[in-house]
Amino acid sequence: MSDSLEQSRSVGKHFIGGEFVAAESGATFEAVNPATEEILMQVARGDEKDIAYAVAAAKSAFDAGDWSRAAPSFRRKVLFKAADLIEARSAEIIRLQTLEMGGPLGPEFPGPHPVMARSAWNLRFFAEEQEQAGGHAFNRDDTLLTYTMSDAAGVFGLITPWNAPIMLSTWKMAPCLAYGNSAVHKPSEMSPLSISILCEIFAEAGMPQGVYNAVLGYGKEAGIPLVEHKEVIGVSFTGSPGTAKDIAGRAATSLKRTSFELGGKSASIIFADADLKKAVGAAAMSIFMNSGQICVAGSRILVQRSIYDDFLEQFEKVAAAWKPGDPMSRTTRLGPLVSKAQYDRVMGYLDLARTEGRVLFGGGRPSNLEKGYFVEPTAIVDVAQDARVCQEEIFGPVATIIPFDDVDQAIEIANDSTYGLAGYIWTESQTTAHYVSHRLQTGMIWINSGFDRDLRQPFGGMKMSGLGREGGGLSREFFTETRFASFPLVPRGAATAH
Ligand code: ADP
């Protein structure tokens, strides 16, 4: 167990009403380092009581109005300060993330780590959006003027996963808080440490106490009471479809609004006219980055038959550079999976792959690593599109590779999925790129690229990959109460109401 973590006043504690506190029950759970299987520390294990305190703190902060009715310029100032602090403490945050969930530190960067720069951007983007966004005024004729109002709505529940803890948390916090709401955040039990730095940052940046609260713990013990709490008016959730269904059912009983960003089985579609070197590198990055634990991972690779053999040869060579190893080392690109449960799950799929298809490379535990939840980068070939390994989200560094003959067959295979999150198209033909973009049943499409973002665009998925979109004005719609006010321009009585 790490002494410095245990002695920290903030790490592994809830953050409620501006204070770092243990669980009311005194209960804890273990945070485990997935690279070493060692226990990092005991973490506050939240339940219904902790959620009740946090929601009460959030509600009283909302009602006080120091944030919810503050000038947009004040909220902007605080969120910009928080963004600066995220960048300043980037190395510290990334280190805690690596300890808790195994994502590699990556090389030394001259400035903040790119994932922290993106987290800071989330805050700055919505801090500006809320200041600039306006409503509509309609002057129907000379008798009536109406205008829309988008005000802070109340207390939101934010429930986030472990695969990019701070980036995905700030993606929800930023609009929630920027538009003046209060939040109770339930980070994943698998990444309960790094969030404490964000809590410190919000306090230092001058956010009024109680506006943002974090309750650590399990979904069943802390997540469910948050969803069910009567003062919580909406839930923004990123995680698995099964959990989303549970949240949707509970939220329905009190008619809460929900927004769901879920899993995927996204296809990288590589046409014969693509820049093959770039496509191979990007396809590998798309499935091996973060050990494949990314919702938009390109876990199915579809390759036009005339370049199929060439692709396999090059893909195997590129994959060799994704060697599993110590995520604390600056040269490691592939860390462990997040947990024993996730490791066992992925190993189960690798066993299945041997009966459903053929393992081209990888397919097991790296022989040089005795401890930790490591899995080799793996490619599965000679597999039918309806095989479970082609249909189910594995959430590991495992790609299935399937050949196709023409553009319509590529679209048919890509769309043959219960998921619809992302699609990657590799072709030099603009006509092919746009034809495929319009026909792919996914919320997001990247052409000859991957992961580029403009935060004004809708992020989210179709089918089992999500319900609702977040980004730009769509986040504003979700996180505000949109209403109208109407007033007559001539004395009432002379005008007729319609
Ligand atoms: P993953 O499989 O990616 O971990 P989950 O959907 O299990 O995704 O978890 C994502 C987040 O949802 C975590 O913070 C988890 O604690 C929380 N969670 C899990 N089950 C529930 C539930 N029934 N209600 C509310 N939150 C939950």
Side-chain angles (χ1 to χ4, degrees):
M1 204 173 298
S2 161
D3 284 347
S4 65
L5 285 179
E6 283 292 341
Q7 279 157 17
S8 161
R9 88 185 164 91
S10 61
V11 183
K13 310 275 192 311
H14 302 324
F15 183 65
I16 300 178
E19 305 285 337
F20 289 99
V21 292
E24 165 77 12
S25 68
T28 59
F29 67 99
E30 290 170 354
V32 175
N33 180 342
T36 61
E37 301 178 35
E38 283 163 8
I39 298 168
L40 290 163
M41 70 178 299
Q42 298 292 328
V43 174
R45 181 169 173 171
D47 64 16
E48 202 170 347
K49 269 203 174 146
D50 302 298
I51 290 290
Y53 289 136
V55 175
K59 178 81 169 66
S60 96
F62 185 82
D63 291 344
D66 298 341
W67 183 258
S68 56
R69 294 191 299 277
S73 57
F74 172 69
R75 292 199 294 259
R76 180 184 197 277
K77 197 176 96 198
V78 171
L79 291 169
F80 265 66
K81 174 94 200 282
D84 292 346
L85 290 169
I86 288 176
E87 290 183 338
R89 298 182 70 179
S90 163
E92 203 186 333
I93 303 174
I94 283 287
R95 188 179 158 274
L96 267 187
Q97 267 198 192
T98 298
L99 279 178
E100 67 191 352
M101 53 69 70
L105 281 185
E108 297 272 8
F109 295 95
H113 188 285
V115 174
M116 289 306 112
R118 166 62 204 280
S119 302
W121 183 25
N122 287 338
L123 295 188
R124 291 191 186 110
F125 174 84
F126 283 106
E128 281 192 329
E129 216 285 330
Q130 59 96 31
E131 211 183 15
Q132 288 164 8
H136 303 287
F138 298 110
N139 183 192
R140 193 187 59 190
D141 52 29
D142 59 358
T143 66
L144 187 71
L145 178 65
T146 62
Y147 61 89
T148 49
M149 299 175 285
S150 296
D151 297 320
V155 178
F156 280 87
L158 310 178
I159 301 180
T160 53
W162 45 265
N163 54 334
I166 298 300
M167 201 284 277
L168 290 176
S169 296
T170 49
W171 176 239
K172 295 191 182 306
M173 291 165 185
C176 176
L177 300 173
Y179 297 117
N181 302 290
S182 293
V184 175
H185 179 197
K186 215 297 285 166
S188 171
E189 57 273 34
M190 250 114 52
S191 56
L193 307 184
S194 53
I195 196 67
S196 62
I197 302 185
L198 221 56
C199 299
E200 289 179 6
I201 284 175
F202 283 148
E204 190 182 338
M207 189 175 289
Q209 293 184 344
V211 168
Y212 170 79
N213 307 271
V215 175
L216 309 178
Y218 293 103
K220 291 218 159 21
E221 295 172 2
I224 289 177
L226 176 59
V227 172
E228 290 185 334
H229 199 293
K230 65 179 188 343
E231 296 292 357
V232 171
I233 65 151
V235 177
S236 175
F237 167 77
T238 298
S240 53
T243 306
K245 287 183 201 168
D246 186 68
I247 293 175
R250 293 175 200 276
T253 61
S254 49
L255 290 183
K256 288 182 172 67
R257 66 187 82 174
T258 52
S259 167
F260 296 136
E261 294 175 8
L262 311 175
K265 193 75 183 174
S266 301
S268 291
I269 308 174
I270 302 168
F271 288 92
D273 68 347
D275 178 331
L276 193 57
K277 191 158 180 267
K278 274 197 192 147
V280 167
M285 163 94 86
S286 178
I287 184 59
F288 299 141
M289 198 166 86
N290 216 24
S291 290
Q293 304 169 119
I294 300 181
C295 57
V296 292
S299 48
R300 292 184 296 152
I301 304 177
L302 315 185
V303 184
Q304 195 148 19
R305 202 175 297 276
S306 58
I307 57 161
Y308 183 70
D309 290 339
D310 220 8
F311 177 87
L312 293 188
E313 197 183 312
Q314 293 193 36
F315 189 65
E316 186 163 359
K317 277 193 195 135
V318 167
W322 290 83
K323 248 171 98 75
D326 176 6
M328 285 290 177
S329 157
R330 290 287 178 186
T331 53
T332 297
R333 294 175 81 185
L334 199 97
L337 298 180
V338 72
S339 65
K340 172 84 167 67
Q342 185 59 16
Y343 174 83
D344 290 343
R345 217 178 134 256
V346 173
M347 284 297 177
Y349 278 111
L350 295 181
D351 286 344
L352 189 62
R354 292 187 170 84
T355 57
E356 289 189 323
R358 178 166 70 85
V359 173
L360 178 68
F361 59 80
R365 191 188 169 78
S367 54
N368 61 327
L369 296 167
E370 275 169 25
K371 285 263 175 206
Y373 309 126
F374 292 95
V375 173
E376 294 173 307
T378 300
I380 304 166
V381 294
D382 301 340
V383 61
Q385 164 57 17
D386 61 358
R388 280 183 57 201
V389 290
C390 290
Q391 289 292 331
E392 297 175 16
E393 187 181 38
I394 298 176
F395 230 53
V398 182
T400 55
I401 311 179
I402 293 188
F404 66 84
D405 290 308
D406 57 31
V407 68
D408 289 316
Q409 193 189 15
I411 294 166
E412 189 190 318
I413 299 173
N415 286 343
D416 177 19
S417 172
T418 52
Y419 290 104
L421 192 57
Y424 305 88
I425 304 167
W426 289 90
T427 174
E428 292 296 296
S429 156
Q430 288 194 21
T431 313
T432 305
H434 295 299
Y435 179 79
V436 179
S437 299
H438 281 278
R439 279 158 188 78
L440 273 191
Q441 294 162 357
T442 65
M444 298 170 286
I445 288 153
W446 279 278
I447 299 165
N448 293 333
S449 60
F451 307 150
D452 293 335
R453 291 291 306 284
D454 179 324
L455 303 188
R456 291 170 296 187
Q457 295 293 4
F459 188 91
M462 297 168 65
K463 302 196 259 185
M464 294 302 275
S465 289
L467 202 55
R469 302 284 193 281
E470 291 182 23
L474 292 162
S475 295
R476 182 168 185 246
E477 247 170 54
F478 182 75
F479 285 111
T480 58
E481 205 64 75
T482 309
R483 303 171 299 141
F484 78 90
S486 161
F487 61 94
L489 298 173
V490 292
R492 256 295 166 247
T496 326
H498 294 290

